[in-house]
Amino acid sequence: MVKTEKKRTFLLEFEKPLVELQARIDQIRELAEETNVDVSGQVSELESKAEQLRLEIFSSLTPSQKLQIARHPRRPSTLDYVQAMTDDWFELHGDRRGNDDPALIGGIARLDGRGVMIIGHQKGRDTKDNVARNFGMASPGGYRKAMRLMEHANRFSLPIITFIDTPGAYAGVDAEKLGQGEAIAYNLREMFSLDVPIITTVIGEGGSGGALGIGVAEKLMIFEHSVYTVASPEACAAILWKDAKKSEQAALALKITAKDLLHLGIVDQILPEPPNCAHSDPLGAADILKKAILDNLEYLSSLTPEQRKNLRYDKFRKIGVFLEG
């Protein structure tokens, strides 16, 4: 009972009908086991109904509903994917300037036997953990640490895998004093010059320059219910309409969903999520992500460093291009 209540605490409003139907199916199965009654026909009918309901719900989500999924507290984080996909993970710390930002982590690991450098934003699971991780909003020291690790990877020919999951870079006064804009701009410039393959995946929420600071890559992938945007819908609404409550309208206008981003040529590949989304099956999501990374890594490894850099350059030069009628 306690376990069920805890699970329900993290339910999104549009998920409730599906979860209630699944609970009913489980209840019928348990009762059938106790009474030794054949209910296979009834269960099969309800499972078909549940599958139809699942398709209806997740195929018609609004941008703001997808944002809720992207921010789900149980959505797999960078460390979750590292644990599920890799071997011999060894986290590296510090920007060599006296800072070690827990909101942006990185380290060396083996992915299917191959050495890689993994870097990603890290949110917390609960309020206390989120405060410690600053809700995944990295400071200048975090971006400098990320760049240090990328340069290390480049020196030792390790492919770079980055995971984006942040509402944006930390915008506090202290961050500005320490050069937040310069740190991100430096990363953008230097990532274009790295020789090794770079693959980036938006695993949750990708916001503003905070996402771009580790997001310059030949291949940019995104999970189907993740979002990627120039500013959070709340920030956009506050700026344009002086009313954060209009965030739903802003989310629609910003084109933050995976399908919109693929259509606009910003992302290269949409990764499907397990039924009921990644937060319901983290291991399933990790299997999908791992296969996609390995497939892209095989292709990028066959190119020369110059070809990879040209891919990066061409990709970002095309973003934002438009024609006036």
Side-chain angles (χ1 to χ4, degrees):
M1 183 66 178
V2 175
K3 186 177 180 182
T4 304
E5 288 301 321
K6 187 175 181 181
K7 186 177 179 181
R8 287 177 179 274
T9 303
F10 297 106
L11 275 182
L12 300 174
E13 192 63 35
F14 53 84
E15 289 181 303
K16 288 181 179 177
L18 185 58
V19 172
E20 288 169 359
L21 182 54
Q22 190 59 54
R24 185 180 167 193
I25 293 171
D26 293 340
Q27 193 175 35
I28 291 173
R29 279 185 175 142
E30 289 176 10
L31 187 62
E33 286 179 8
E34 292 174 3
T35 58
N36 202 25
V37 175
D38 182 13
V39 293
S40 57
Q42 186 179 359
V43 168
S44 179
E45 185 180 340
L46 288 174
E47 284 179 336
S48 297
K49 186 177 179 181
E51 184 58 29
Q52 183 61 35
L53 182 60
R54 181 182 293 109
L55 290 172
E56 289 174 5
I57 291 173
F58 291 109
S59 64
S60 59
L61 293 174
T62 65
S64 61
Q65 286 174 325
K66 284 185 176 284
L67 183 60
Q68 290 178 53
I69 294 175
R71 292 173 173 172
H72 196 286
R74 294 300 177 194
R75 194 166 178 84
S77 67
T78 294
L79 285 175
D80 291 326
Y81 285 121
V82 166
Q83 184 178 10
M85 297 191 312
T86 69
D87 298 311
D88 301 327
W89 162 252
F90 187 85
E91 187 173 353
L92 300 171
H93 297 275
D95 65 349
R96 296 300 182 265
R97 300 186 188 183
N99 296 293
D100 183 33
D101 187 359
L104 211 164
I105 63 164
I108 299 170
R110 290 193 182 277
L111 184 66
D112 207 32
R114 179 170 185 171
V116 294
M117 179 69 76
I118 297 178
I119 299 166
H121 300 101
Q122 182 63 38
K123 293 180 178 179
R125 277 280 175 250
D126 52 32
T127 303
K128 183 179 179 181
D129 196 17
N130 259 320
V131 169
R133 298 279 184 183
N134 200 31
F135 296 85
M137 297 184 293
S139 66
Y143 291 103
R144 289 176 181 132
K145 174 171 68 173
M147 195 66 243
R148 180 179 78 80
L149 300 187
M150 286 188 244
E151 289 170 346
H152 179 89
N154 196 57
R155 190 176 305 119
F156 293 99
S157 301
L158 296 172
I160 298 168
I161 313 296
T162 71
F163 298 139
I164 292 173
D165 188 16
T166 180
Y170 181 51
V173 174
D174 288 342
E176 294 303 317
K177 286 180 179 178
L178 294 170
Q180 184 71 285
E182 182 274 339
I184 292 173
Y186 182 82
N187 282 22
L188 296 180
R189 186 188 72 185
E190 294 303 305
M191 288 183 78
F192 279 107
S193 68
L194 298 177
D195 292 328
V196 296
I198 308 176
I199 300 171
T200 295
T201 307
V202 184
I203 59 174
E205 178 182 12
S208 193
L212 276 176
I214 59 168
V216 176
E218 301 93 282
K219 290 293 180 181
L220 175 57
M221 305 187 293
I222 185 170
F223 272 109
E224 64 174 309
H225 298 308
S226 291
V227 299
Y228 195 41
T229 174
V230 68
S232 72
E234 293 87 352
C236 177
I239 293 168
L240 293 183
W241 299 293
K242 312 297 181 187
D243 184 3
K245 293 180 180 178
K246 291 189 176 181
S247 61
E248 191 167 343
Q249 184 178 342
L252 188 63
L254 283 167
K255 304 297 182 185
I256 65 176
T257 68
K259 285 186 178 179
D260 285 330
L261 294 163
L262 185 65
H263 176 71
L264 292 169
I266 295 172
V267 302
D268 303 301
Q269 184 177 349
I270 298 175
L271 304 183
E273 296 191 22
N276 300 346
C277 307
H279 60 262
S280 68
D281 184 6
L283 292 178
D287 287 341
I288 292 166
L289 178 56
K290 182 177 181 179
K291 183 180 184 307
I293 290 174
L294 290 172
D295 288 346
N296 280 294
L297 194 53
E298 183 179 1
Y299 164 67
L300 293 175
S301 297
S302 69
L303 304 179
T304 65
E306 204 59 36
Q307 287 174 320
R308 287 194 287 265
K309 285 187 276 190
N310 287 337
L311 266 180
R312 247 173 265 157
Y313 179 81
D314 292 341
K315 173 181 175 53
F316 281 84
R317 286 292 293 176
K318 290 174 184 176
I319 292 177
V321 172
F322 67 96
L323 298 174
E324 291 184 346

